[in-house]
């Protein structure tokens, strides 16, 4: 993991937030390569889930729309959702001089004593641990000039509630009919007591959530549909190996609303810091009608928040299947999966991103800066960059330029050399095999389109 973190820092994938002031625990910034990677992940999700979802279990195309809600909402939302009363992690503090560590009570077996790292995880018997105490994970702020209880607001701890709060608006203003889904991507904030494992557990992060509204009797079919679709999707963007797994929850792990549901499962990735175990990338849960009912009650709207089925002339609270994924954990999994040590290369390592996820799709290099090569290279670069993120690099030896692209995970490099002006061909070098072949310069765009899409 240290090597991955170092590469991410060195090549501009991820920086500590406010690093020049010593950083701030639990907050991370994305640099020029990282922002492209994360954007590719989010765009692929939006494209594949919202714009072009596949057919559902009933054989009809899945109906999806999106929303983009505010981070600060009426605080009553968080009372209705249960977050004000119940969004707590029980924590235990260590009073031992020099430690003052704080640990999640339910995960104490996984921690190592910070003062004696040589001890096995969970060996806290000589430590002075307090009993478990509750900490609310929601960040608070105040809206307006006066800071009092009445102006207290929260930064949303999940994007889901913005969707539920807009359920009525969406049904009234678009042509959606149950079954349909509402999707949202956006920031969420949790004052995690022990942020750790790089971006895996941060205090500010981004979620990609779908609330899929269904008739209660079709819960089993849609739960299975979304669980499998989401698992397959993570595989399709490059997490296809044995580091990815789908895990169905045991009954005793289930949240309050899920006990009676059709199921809950996690898509999990084996991160270097969880190995041999796995960490959650996404949860897929049958949330029943818990949230809509809660908002119906707390907003006073009651039955007016029900869905009206015109064909059946029936009013009801739809049930919900929720696939809820983290964009930062997803990005981190892509980084871990891509990291491939290779002693035979000048860079000693390359990032084997799926071409669709790669931050830079191709490098364009003039072999030397004379004999018309830069002009041809520049023209090719301008042509390709209208469609993809391309790097033009005229400097240093060609070996060093390939090495830089290997570390960035760029799948293809096109070099304009002495033969190009005469033959109108360029060499294309593939990242994974390092093989090189000549192709016609006017075929480069079609080549990339076929490889990358
Ligand atoms: P965990 O048990 O790891 O705290 P969770 O079950 O509370 O996660 P959810 O509330 O289901 O997580 O949130 C959905 C997704 O949001 C998670 O699968 C994860 O990808 C992401 N996520 C949640 N908390 C964080 C965090 N602190 N940092 C980064 N991503 C997060």
């Amino acid at each position: 993991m240290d090597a991955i973190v170092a590469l991410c820092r060195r090549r501009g994938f991820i920086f500590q937030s406010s690093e020049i002031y010593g950083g701030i625990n639990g907050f991370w910034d994305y640099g020029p390569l990282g922002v492209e990677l994360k954007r590719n992940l989010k765009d692929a999700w939006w494209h594949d889930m919202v714009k072009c979802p596949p057919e559902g279990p009933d054989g009809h195309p899945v109906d999806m729309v999106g929303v983009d809600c505010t981070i600060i909402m009426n605080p009553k939302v968080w009372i209705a959702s249960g977050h004000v009363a119940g969004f707590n992690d029980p924590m235990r503090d260590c009073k031992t001089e020099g430690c003052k560590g704080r640990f999640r009570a339910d995960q104490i077996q996984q921690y190592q004593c910070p003062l004696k790292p040589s001890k096995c995880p969970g060996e806290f018997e000589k430590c002075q641990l307090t009993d478990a105490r509750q900490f609310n994970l929601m960040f608070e702020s105040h809206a307006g000039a006066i800071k009092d209880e009445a102006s207290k607001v929260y930064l949303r701890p999940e994007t889901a509630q913005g969707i539920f709060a807009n359920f009525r608006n969406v049904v009234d203003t678009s042509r959606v009919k149950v079954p349909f889904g509402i999707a949202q991507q956006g920031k969420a904030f949790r004052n995690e007591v022990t942020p750790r494992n790089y971006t895996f557990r941060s205090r500010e992060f981004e979620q990609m959530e779908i609330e899929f509204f269904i008739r209660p009797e079709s819960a089993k079919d849609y739960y299975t549909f979304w669980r499998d679709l989401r698992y397959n999707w993570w595989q399709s963007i490059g997490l296809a190996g044995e580091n990815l797994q789908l895990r169905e929850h045991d009954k005793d792990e289930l949240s309050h609303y899920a006990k009676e549901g059709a199921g809950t499962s996690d898509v999990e990735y084996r991160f270097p810091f969880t190995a041999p175990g796995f960490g959650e990338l996404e949860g897929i849960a049958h949330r029943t009608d818990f949230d809509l009912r809660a908002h119906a009650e707390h907003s006073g709207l009651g039955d007016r928040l029900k869905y009206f089925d015109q064909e059946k002339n029936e009013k009801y609270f739809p049930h919900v299947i929720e696939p809820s994924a983290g964009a930062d954990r997803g990005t981190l999994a892509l980084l871990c999966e891509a990291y491939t040590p290779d002693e035979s290369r000048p860079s000693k390592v390359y990032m084997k991103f799926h071409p669709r996820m790669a931050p830079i799709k191709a490098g364009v290099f003039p072999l030397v800066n004379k004999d018309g090569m830069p002009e041809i290279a520049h023209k090719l670069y301008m042509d390709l960059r209208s469609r993809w993120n391309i790097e033009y690099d005229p400097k240093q030896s060609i070996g060093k330029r390939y090495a830089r692209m290997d570390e960035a995970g760029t799948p293809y490099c096109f070099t304009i050399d002495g033969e190009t002006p005469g033959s109108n061909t360029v060499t294309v070098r593939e990242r994974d095999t390092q093989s090189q072949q000549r192709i016609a310069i006017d075929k480069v765009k079609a080549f990339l389109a076929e490889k990358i899409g």
Side-chain angles (χ1 to χ4, degrees):
M1 196 60 212
D2 289 347
I4 296 173
V5 172
L7 182 137
C8 286
R9 169 75 186 79
R10 187 169 76 245
R11 291 311 316 272
F13 282 97
I14 296 174
F15 304 125
Q16 265 189 65
S17 166
S18 18
E19 192 186 271
I20 59 169
Y21 293 102
I24 169 168
N25 196 11
F27 297 87
W28 299 93
D29 291 340
Y30 289 85
L33 288 181
V35 71
E36 295 291 338
L37 179 65
K38 185 171 161 187
R39 189 171 292 262
N40 289 341
L41 176 81
K42 290 194 297 177
D43 286 353
W45 184 91
W46 195 268
H47 176 271
D48 298 349
M49 297 298 126
V50 188
K51 285 193 191 154
C52 312
E55 282 178 0
D58 61 359
H60 290 103
V62 162
D63 205 359
M64 291 285 298
V65 292
V67 291
D68 185 8
C69 310
T70 57
I71 285 166
I72 292 176
M73 302 173 71
N74 188 314
K76 285 180 188 159
V77 167
W78 307 112
I79 295 170
S81 69
H83 284 86
V84 168
F87 195 46
N88 303 309
D89 276 345
M91 304 300 304
R92 301 182 69 183
D93 288 340
C94 184
K95 298 285 181 198
T96 311
E97 201 47 51
C99 178
K100 308 287 181 211
R102 182 167 281 174
F103 312 96
R104 256 172 78 162
D106 59 333
Q107 295 181 354
I108 200 99
Q109 294 306 328
Q110 297 169 25
Y111 291 105
Q112 238 147 359
C113 174
L115 293 182
K116 300 213 178 86
S118 54
K119 275 195 196 179
C120 291
E123 278 187 32
F124 278 91
E125 67 274 9
K126 294 220 172 59
C127 303
Q128 298 173 42
L129 289 170
T130 62
D131 290 342
R133 295 184 294 195
Q134 303 292 332
F135 288 84
N136 196 290
L137 296 185
M138 279 199 293
F139 277 99
E140 292 176 10
S141 188
H142 293 270
I146 299 165
K147 287 195 171 131
D148 60 10
E149 222 16 57
S151 66
K152 189 155 98 181
V153 291
Y154 302 99
L155 306 194
R156 65 181 177 198
E158 61 176 36
T159 57
Q161 297 305 325
I163 296 178
F164 291 121
N166 275 297
F167 172 73
R168 187 74 270 158
N169 287 339
V170 172
V171 170
D172 287 350
T173 57
S174 50
R175 311 195 61 176
V176 290
K177 283 197 186 131
V178 169
F180 73 94
I182 308 179
Q184 173 163 223
Q185 294 182 337
K187 292 271 185 167
F189 301 80
R190 295 182 189 177
N191 198 0
E192 299 278 3
V193 190
T194 47
R196 68 205 146 101
N197 292 335
Y198 206 24
T199 58
F200 181 84
R201 189 170 300 288
S202 344
R203 290 179 166 146
E204 174 173 344
F205 55 96
E206 225 167 323
Q207 291 188 313
M208 311 188 289
E209 294 197 298
I210 296 167
E211 306 303 326
F212 199 78
F213 299 94
I214 52 169
R215 294 187 65 86
E217 60 271 22
S218 56
K220 196 92 211 161
D221 287 349
Y222 276 99
Y223 167 70
T224 313
F225 168 76
W226 278 107
R227 183 197 62 193
D228 296 348
L229 181 64
R230 295 303 307 144
Y231 178 58
N232 293 336
W233 185 82
W234 286 107
Q235 292 186 313
S236 78
I237 58 164
L239 305 182
E242 55 196 30
N243 288 333
L244 194 76
Q245 75 172 16
L246 184 63
R247 188 177 66 82
E248 204 75 43
H249 280 210
D250 301 330
K251 272 277 177 236
D252 57 357
E253 282 181 81
L254 295 180
S255 51
H256 46 97
Y257 53 78
K259 288 258 188 300
E260 304 307 316
T264 300
S265 46
D266 288 344
V267 180
E268 298 182 328
Y269 183 76
R270 181 161 46 204
F271 292 93
F273 48 80
T274 57
F278 288 74
E280 175 183 332
L281 281 186
E282 170 161 1
I284 300 102
H286 174 204
R287 287 181 80 119
T288 67
D289 56 3
F290 173 83
D291 302 87
L292 283 181
R293 270 187 195 280
H295 288 302
E297 187 191 324
H298 283 83
S299 66
L301 283 175
D303 283 357
R304 278 175 290 160
L305 217 56
K306 281 184 174 169
Y307 174 79
F308 178 55
D309 184 329
Q310 280 181 329
E311 276 164 33
K312 294 203 160 78
N313 196 23
E314 184 190 345
K315 273 188 132 184
Y316 65 100
F317 287 115
H319 275 215
V320 167
I321 306 295
E322 176 194 73
S324 167
D328 304 275
R329 284 192 192 172
T331 304
L332 184 57
L334 293 178
L335 284 163
C336 294
E337 186 76 8
Y339 188 88
T340 314
D342 180 354
E343 280 302 317
S344 73
R345 300 186 186 221
S347 57
K348 307 283 187 231
V349 60
Y350 67 107
M351 296 298 279
K352 200 174 175 179
F353 292 120
H354 187 287
R356 195 178 176 201
M357 293 296 114
I360 302 171
K361 304 301 186 204
V364 174
F365 309 145
L367 185 62
V368 288
N369 277 312
K370 55 182 184 183
D371 303 335
M373 291 180 216
E375 290 76 13
I376 300 172
H378 194 76
K379 189 162 170 287
L380 179 63
Y381 164 64
M382 293 304 283
D383 186 30
L384 297 181
R385 79 168 202 177
S386 63
R387 186 153 167 200
W388 297 286
N389 194 31
I390 307 289
E391 177 137 316
Y392 178 76
D393 186 356
K395 296 201 195 83
Q396 295 185 315
S397 72
I398 197 73
K400 284 197 174 134
R401 284 182 263 177
Y402 286 155
R404 274 181 61 78
M405 288 296 97
D406 276 353
E407 279 190 331
T410 306
Y412 301 100
C413 293
F414 301 100
T415 302
I416 286 76
D417 57 18
E419 264 187 55
T420 304
S423 67
N424 281 325
T425 58
V426 299
T427 60
V428 46
R429 183 244 192 202
E430 291 201 19
R431 175 195 66 200
D432 299 348
T433 59
Q434 302 184 74
S435 66
Q436 299 193 17
Q437 52 166 316
R438 289 200 84 83
I439 64 168
I441 198 162
D442 60 4
K443 294 273 176 356
V444 168
K445 211 169 184 175
F447 174 91
L448 264 189
E450 191 206 316
K451 300 284 187 188
I452 287 159

